[in-house]
Amino acid sequence: DAKTTQPTSMDCAEGRAANLPCNHSTISGNEYVYWYRQIHSQGPQYIIHGLKNNETNEMASLIITEDRKSSTLILPHATLRDTAVYYCIVRVVDNAGKSTFGDGTTLTVKP
Amino acid sequence: DTGVSQDPRHKITKRGQNVTFRCDPISEHNRLYWYRQTLGQGPEFLTYFQNEAQLEKSRLLSDRFSAERPKGSFSTLEIQRTEQGDSAMYLCASSSQGGAMEKLFFGSGTQLSVL
């Protein structure tokens, strides 16, 4: 699976959009981008995933650049409950759920 | 859907003792994963099952570690002769399908402290 690079930490004001970047410059054509988050003392929670098109669900939006070398997770209206570690994962579809999480970005939403 | 359940939530043991953790996946989920997470790091893959078959084991899973999933339902992870380096959060996850749509549902983990 391709390696990802994320900033160690980010802050965001409550109610504002949180934009979390991820670099995956060595991504292959058959690798998807997944995002999970982990709130303190809980297991990771799936957020969203995509291949090359932008994706949106009830939790977030995922913007993948045209060359697929980077992506951005967008939480449109961050709340205090969005404070968590956010993991960007790139994996081959047939690697099952065997994912390499990396160290993620700690997002702190401030009032 | 009651989520993935792990037991116990916390375990304190002395070096050299054996410990066993249990994971109950979401009903009907045929895939089950074990991950290990140390403080400040992301989860690391240990092993996974499809139904009762253990399909892959990470190099992180030394001979002291064994996992089972009898009858393809709950799973146990046993660590024999524990070492201080085994102290970590052990996470279990399950999923219902493979391929691009596979989403992992994680439990809250078992926090192991080896004294």
Side-chain angles (χ1 to χ4, degrees):
Chain A
D1 294 337
K3 180 178 172 58
T4 62
T5 304
Q6 299 178 252
T8 302
S9 63
M10 295 181 64
D11 291 342
C12 177
E14 187 178 20
R16 304 296 294 270
N19 296 277
L20 292 94
C22 179
N23 182 286
H24 32 79
S25 58
T26 60
I27 193 170
S28 300
N30 63 345
E31 290 181 311
Y32 281 68
V33 180
Y34 294 79
W35 283 83
Y36 283 78
R37 73 179 183 184
Q38 187 171 25
I39 296 171
H40 183 62
S41 298
Q42 297 181 22
Q45 175 192 25
Y46 167 85
I47 301 173
I48 200 168
H49 76 278
L51 180 62
K52 53 183 178 181
N53 297 321
N54 297 338
E55 303 287 344
T56 295
N57 64 19
E58 66 279 3
M59 290 183 68
S61 294
L62 174 60
I63 308 297
I64 302 174
T65 58
E66 193 170 342
D67 63 7
R68 303 209 320 124
K69 293 182 183 299
S70 65
S71 61
T72 301
L73 178 75
I74 301 173
L75 308 178
H77 305 287
T79 71
L80 299 179
R81 289 175 295 181
D82 292 321
T83 292
V85 179
Y86 288 77
Y87 296 101
C88 169
I89 299 159
V90 173
R91 72 169 173 87
V92 177
V93 164
D94 57 5
N95 256 4
K98 185 184 64 177
S99 301
T100 301
F101 275 75
D103 295 337
T105 296
T106 299
L107 174 69
T108 303
V109 180
K110 299 184 174 181
Chain B
D1 181 351
T2 58
V4 177
S5 177
Q6 292 190 246
D7 184 70
R9 287 296 309 276
H10 304 274
K11 178 70 176 179
I12 300 174
T13 190
K14 294 182 179 180
R15 189 175 52 187
Q17 298 293 305
N18 300 342
V19 294
T20 300
F21 311 139
R22 177 180 170 121
C23 171
D24 287 273
I26 293 172
S27 300
E28 310 303 322
H29 277 193
N30 60 357
R31 291 186 173 200
L32 186 148
Y33 300 82
W34 286 98
Y35 280 78
R36 181 175 69 185
Q37 185 174 25
T38 53
L39 194 63
Q41 309 289 319
E44 298 172 294
F45 168 78
L46 292 179
T47 187
Y48 94 95
F49 294 81
Q50 179 147 329
N51 299 313
E52 66 275 9
Q54 188 173 16
L55 297 186
E56 190 164 345
K57 294 191 289 187
S58 161
R59 290 172 297 175
L60 295 174
L61 214 64
S62 76
D63 292 344
R64 296 183 297 105
F65 288 69
S66 62
E68 294 183 340
R69 194 184 182 197
K71 304 179 183 178
S73 55
F74 71 92
S75 176
T76 58
L77 178 68
E78 180 183 17
I79 308 175
Q80 296 182 326
R81 304 181 304 281
T82 53
E83 303 172 355
Q84 288 185 326
D86 297 331
S87 295
M89 174 75 79
Y90 290 85
L91 293 161
C92 175
S94 68
S95 69
S96 61
Q97 62 182 107
M101 295 305 298
E102 181 166 17
K103 307 173 189 177
L104 299 182
F105 293 83
F106 282 84
S108 295
T110 294
Q111 181 66 54
L112 173 66
S113 297
V114 182
L115 304 179

